Amino acid sequence: CIRDSFQILSGGAGQLDTTVQVTFKDQAVWTYKIVEISELSHTISFELISCEPAITASSVVNTITLRRVTETNQTLLEWETNFSNDADAAVILDNKYKKLEFFKDLHRTIEALRSK
């Protein structure tokens, strides 16, 4: 697991403008703001508003979309990240590896729930 802790700083689950703080195993602390939630399109978007240590990107916006696969009745999770043009390769690669670890953690969690 790359995430060490998760804390809601303001707002609440399912609310716009909620801010959350994620502390990663490498001790990086990122704070996100929920900027969009859509039940119709099954999306949530969140913007990175602060991070320690600082990164070289003035804007990072993530959108997670859930899509139904009708033939198998499964769900596809799509995670898109848009970076400002000042983001360097290190920031983009770090984001890629954090996503890969997230998907591994999600898979382990789902498998654990299935085995119960």
Side-chain angles (χ1 to χ4, degrees):
C1 180
I2 62 165
R3 180 183 54 83
D4 192 37
S5 69
F6 174 88
Q7 177 182 358
I8 295 176
L9 300 177
S10 68
Q15 295 178 1
L16 284 175
D17 296 327
T18 293
T19 55
V20 298
Q21 185 177 70
V22 180
T23 302
F24 295 94
K25 293 285 186 187
D26 65 2
Q27 299 308 304
V29 178
W30 292 15
T31 304
Y32 295 98
K33 179 180 178 181
I34 307 299
V35 295
E36 178 185 12
I37 300 172
S38 172
E39 289 185 29
L40 183 62
S41 61
H42 307 287
T43 61
I44 183 167
S45 296
F46 46 101
E47 181 176 14
L48 182 65
I49 58 173
S50 70
C51 58
E52 288 296 327
I55 61 169
T56 55
S58 55
S59 175
V60 179
V61 178
N62 295 275
T63 299
I64 294 177
T65 304
L66 301 176
R67 299 188 188 280
R68 182 173 180 218
V69 181
T70 55
E71 187 173 311
T72 61
N73 201 29
Q74 294 177 316
T75 302
L76 172 72
L77 188 150
E78 177 181 279
W79 188 342
E80 177 183 342
T81 304
N82 291 305
F83 298 94
S84 55
N85 63 0
D86 60 345
D88 64 14
V91 170
I92 295 168
L93 280 175
D94 182 57
N95 186 270
K96 173 187 173 180
Y97 293 120
K98 281 182 169 59
K99 283 182 187 177
L100 290 173
E101 287 297 318
F102 165 81
F103 285 118
K104 287 178 188 175
D105 287 346
L106 180 62
H107 180 74
R108 282 191 291 268
T109 301
I110 290 170
E111 289 302 312
L113 291 172
R114 283 184 181 165
S115 66
K116 287 185 176 182

